[in-house]
């Protein structure tokens, strides 16, 4: 078992050690004795981008199947054991990974490691038609509740399909389609597990009130005998031109409480300096109540009840800038769109003011501190940087890279990317009855650019 240890400038004193088992499992440890808890986080390098046509939603379906029992733990036992020990847990699926996590009292850390190792090593012993059908129905119901039967629920799915062309690995979202969920077989699930749920395709992080030597001994004991698997194929190429090249547009008439303008802009890949600059640009433009779009549309013009602009960071494909505006009263979408374009053009020409730049950097720094300030958040970030960028240490210095961005870099990425010919636009128009009945405070503003779907046990 090899390891490295590092503490980098700008990490706030946080450290992490890296280790690798003989079977390929990467292990990242970070001590934090402030509270007597420990977080276990396991990222598998598999998400919806690894799926093939006709089998969308399989990564998310399998995330649910991981909670249906293993060789030593039957049924709902994983949840019962963790919660009975005073811990919490869940799992989520995104375009680029699937993760599982527990936060436990320190003296129950060994239990969490044993549980994760048991299902990594022996899930197939418990996977049968009954559990497959059970979780297929759960996922289909989740799709109905979160996507198909809520106002604006399919917006992200529609914009993703518009932003990434047919055949692109990010063209479909992790939730998958009803038809593909119905088509998935038990053998599909078993092959999926054999291919992706192997120790050499995973990163395990343990953060908190831990004894590193003892923790590594437990990891070696429970995970060390699980065999590696070499059958994984790399995801299909997700690269695309920097800009879409034309404005794509779709109008949806639906049972929604108010008109809405949503748009996705193609932005630089995560892990680049340009992506950090784009994050700052969107924070100035639409990141909260002090942003330009909120001040213009909600406070000054009073044409919208909500206006936000956020970044969906993606490493294997262009990231997406997600614009979401809900109109007020009888305001028409063209009026909103004209105001948005005016603000974007002004920002591209002038860039952020010194005060805006300082506020945006402070906001992103606070978000970074919030993520690393909890043992669970830090464990997740260490896994993220290990899986997507090959180096968990980057998690500890991410904020410094944001603080090094200049106003000119922010202006330049806005000028190059936040243009009408580089966006997919989705316009929601209420059906006649809803439009007459809607009031401003009826607007559901919960829809956003979410890339994760979770187990929700």
């Amino acid at each position: 078992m090899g390891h490295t240890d590092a503490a980098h400038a700008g990490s706030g004193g946080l450290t992490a050690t890296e280790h690798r088992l003989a079977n390929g499992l990467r292990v990242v440890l970070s001590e934090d004795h402030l509270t007597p808890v420990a977080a276990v986080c396991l990222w598998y390098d598999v998400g919806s981008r690894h799926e093939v046509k006709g089998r969308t939603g399989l990564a998310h379906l399998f995330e649910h199947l991981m909670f249906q029992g293993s060789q030593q733990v039957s049924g709902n036992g994983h949840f019962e054991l963790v919660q009975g020990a005073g811990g919490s847990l869940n799992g989520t699926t995104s375009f680029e990974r699937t993760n599982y996590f527990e936060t436990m009292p320190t003296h129950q850390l060994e239990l969490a490691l044993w549980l994760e190792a048991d299902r990594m090593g022996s899930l197939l012993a418990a996977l049968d038609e009954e559990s497959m059908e059970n979780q297929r129905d759960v996922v289909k119901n989740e799709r109905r509740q979160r996507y198909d039967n809520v106002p604006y629920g399919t917006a992200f799915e529609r914009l993703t399909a518009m932003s990434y062309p047919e055949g692109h690995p990010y063209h479909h979202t992790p939730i998958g389609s009803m038809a593909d969920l119905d088509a998935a077989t038990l053998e599909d699930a078993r092959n999926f597990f054999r291919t992706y749920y192997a120790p050499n395709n995973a990163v395990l992080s343990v953060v908190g009130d831990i004894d590193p030597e003892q923790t590594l001994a437990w990891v070696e004991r429970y995970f060390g005998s699980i065999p590696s698997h070499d059958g994984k194929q790399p995801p299909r190429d997700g690269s695309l031109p920097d800009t879409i090249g034309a404005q794509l547009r779709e109008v949806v008439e639906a049972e929604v409480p108010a008109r809405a303008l949503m748009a996705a802009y193609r932005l630089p890949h995560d892990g680049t300096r340009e992506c950090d600059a784009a994050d700052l640009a969107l924070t100035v433009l639409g990141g909260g109540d002090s942003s330009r779009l909120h001040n213009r549309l909600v406070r000054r013009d009073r044409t919208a009840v909500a206006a936000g602009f956020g970044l969906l960071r993606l490493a294997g494909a262009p990231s997406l800038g997600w614009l979401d505006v809900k109109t007020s009263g009888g305001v028409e979408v063209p009026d909103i769109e004209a105001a948005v374009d005016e603000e974007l053009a002004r920002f591209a020409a002038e860039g952020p003011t010194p005060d805006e730049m300082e506020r945006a950097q402070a906001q992103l720094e606070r978000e970074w501190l919030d993520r690393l300030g909890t043992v669970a958040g830090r464990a997740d970030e260490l896994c993220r940087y290990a899986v997507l960028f090959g180096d968990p240490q980057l998690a500890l210095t991410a904020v410094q890279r944001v603080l090094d961005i200049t106003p000119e870099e922010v202006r330049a990425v806005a000028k190059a990317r936040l243009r009408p010919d580089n966006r997919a636009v989705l316009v929601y128009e209420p059906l006649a009855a809803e439009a007459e009945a809607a009031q401003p405070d009826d607007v559901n503003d919960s829809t956003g650019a979410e890339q994760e779907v979770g187990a929700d046990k």
Side-chain angles (χ1 to χ4, degrees):
M1 180 188 298
H3 80 276
T4 59
D5 188 356
H8 296 288
S11 67
L14 300 176
T15 62
T17 60
E18 302 172 53
H19 315 264
R20 190 182 291 270
L21 303 191
N23 59 10
L25 178 67
R26 297 182 67 183
V27 183
V28 185
L29 305 181
S30 181
E31 289 185 78
D32 183 345
H33 301 289
L34 187 62
T35 56
V37 295
V40 173
C41 186
L42 190 58
W43 272 44
Y44 290 93
D45 186 10
V46 57
S48 58
R49 67 171 173 166
H50 295 86
E51 297 166 348
V52 297
K53 187 174 183 179
R55 289 298 182 267
T56 66
L58 195 56
H60 178 223
L61 174 62
F62 207 90
E63 172 218 314
H64 283 256
L65 291 172
M66 285 283 278
F67 289 98
Q68 283 296 287
S70 50
Q71 187 169 35
Q72 306 297 328
V73 182
S74 62
N76 204 38
H78 194 113
F79 269 85
E80 292 169 355
L81 286 167
V82 171
Q83 293 172 339
S88 60
L89 73 162
N90 214 324
T92 66
T93 310
S94 78
F95 289 104
E96 300 181 323
R97 60 96 184 103
T98 307
N99 67 349
Y100 304 89
F101 44 91
E102 296 90 5
T103 300
M104 306 288 281
T106 298
H107 67 283
Q108 297 287 0
L109 171 59
E110 184 181 8
L111 172 63
L113 293 171
W114 175 78
L115 285 166
E116 288 293 359
D118 190 59
R119 61 181 175 181
M120 178 191 282
S122 70
L123 187 99
L124 288 185
L127 183 58
D128 55 22
E129 289 286 359
E130 181 180 358
S131 58
M132 182 78 174
E133 290 306 313
N134 175 280
Q135 290 308 302
R136 191 201 313 271
D137 289 343
V138 169
V139 172
K140 289 169 66 176
N141 192 50
E142 179 182 338
R143 181 182 171 89
R144 294 184 192 100
Q145 290 180 338
R146 292 187 174 183
Y147 295 80
D148 297 335
N149 297 331
V150 296
Y152 317 107
T154 60
F156 181 58
E157 188 173 47
R158 291 173 183 271
L159 280 175
T160 298
M162 294 167 69
S163 301
Y164 302 110
E166 183 74 37
H168 189 273
Y170 292 68
H171 179 72
H172 69 279
T173 55
I175 193 66
S177 72
M178 284 290 198
D180 288 356
L181 287 169
D182 284 333
T185 67
L186 180 61
E187 191 56 33
D188 289 332
R190 286 175 171 162
N191 288 335
F192 195 87
F193 180 85
R194 294 187 189 102
T195 302
Y196 297 109
Y197 279 77
N200 54 317
N201 195 47
V203 173
L204 171 69
S205 67
V206 187
V207 176
D209 185 26
I210 63 173
D211 176 334
E213 185 176 344
Q214 178 63 78
T215 302
L216 281 174
W218 285 331
V219 171
E220 181 67 65
R221 177 181 179 184
Y222 299 125
F223 289 89
S225 62
I226 302 172
S228 60
H229 188 279
D230 297 326
K232 175 187 173 184
Q233 297 296 314
R236 289 168 291 140
D237 182 18
S239 60
L240 289 169
D242 286 351
T243 59
I244 297 173
Q247 179 173 249
L248 308 177
R249 197 174 194 88
E250 182 179 341
V251 177
V252 178
E253 293 186 355
E255 294 182 3
V256 293
R259 295 185 178 95
L261 170 68
M262 299 183 191
Y265 292 77
R266 189 178 292 175
L267 295 176
H269 288 63
D270 192 13
T272 64
R273 191 174 178 93
E274 292 79 11
C275 187
D276 289 335
D279 204 353
L280 287 165
L282 300 192
T283 302
V284 171
L285 287 164
D289 292 350
S290 64
S291 66
R292 289 196 182 192
L293 292 178
H294 184 89
N295 281 328
R296 169 72 184 269
L297 300 173
V298 179
R299 288 183 175 173
R300 196 193 87 179
D301 296 353
R302 298 186 179 182
T303 53
V305 295
F309 211 171
L311 178 64
L312 173 59
R313 288 177 175 264
L314 295 170
S319 301
L320 289 182
W322 177 272
L323 174 71
D324 187 350
V325 182
K326 305 297 194 312
T327 67
S328 61
V331 176
E332 300 283 345
V333 168
D335 296 333
I336 293 286
E337 194 167 2
V340 168
D341 285 343
E342 182 181 317
E343 291 298 323
L344 295 187
R346 185 163 65 91
F347 189 79
E350 301 172 0
T353 67
D355 285 348
E356 286 176 328
M357 191 72 180
E358 183 179 0
R359 282 198 303 271
Q361 288 177 318
Q363 184 172 330
L364 295 184
E365 182 177 21
R366 187 202 68 214
E367 293 171 1
W368 175 80
L369 289 169
D370 287 345
R371 290 193 298 272
L372 267 66
T374 66
V375 293
R378 196 183 319 158
D380 192 61
E381 287 294 290
L382 290 169
C383 280
R384 172 176 172 252
Y385 279 92
V387 170
L388 298 181
F389 306 109
D391 184 2
Q393 306 293 343
L394 292 172
L396 306 180
T397 57
V399 71
Q400 190 57 51
R401 294 186 289 278
V402 172
L403 298 179
D404 287 342
I405 300 296
T406 66
E408 177 54 30
E409 288 176 288
V410 174
R411 188 200 66 79
V413 76
K415 181 179 180 181
R417 302 297 190 103
L418 301 182
R419 304 169 2 195
D421 65 348
N422 184 39
R423 69 185 177 199
V425 177
L426 192 62
V427 175
Y428 275 91
E429 289 286 348
L431 297 175
E434 282 72 23
E436 293 174 4
Q439 298 295 327
D441 59 359
D442 290 335
V443 175
N444 180 343
D445 189 39
S446 62
T447 301
E450 298 189 7
Q451 63 160 330
E452 298 181 1
V453 283
D456 275 339
K457 295 288 184 176

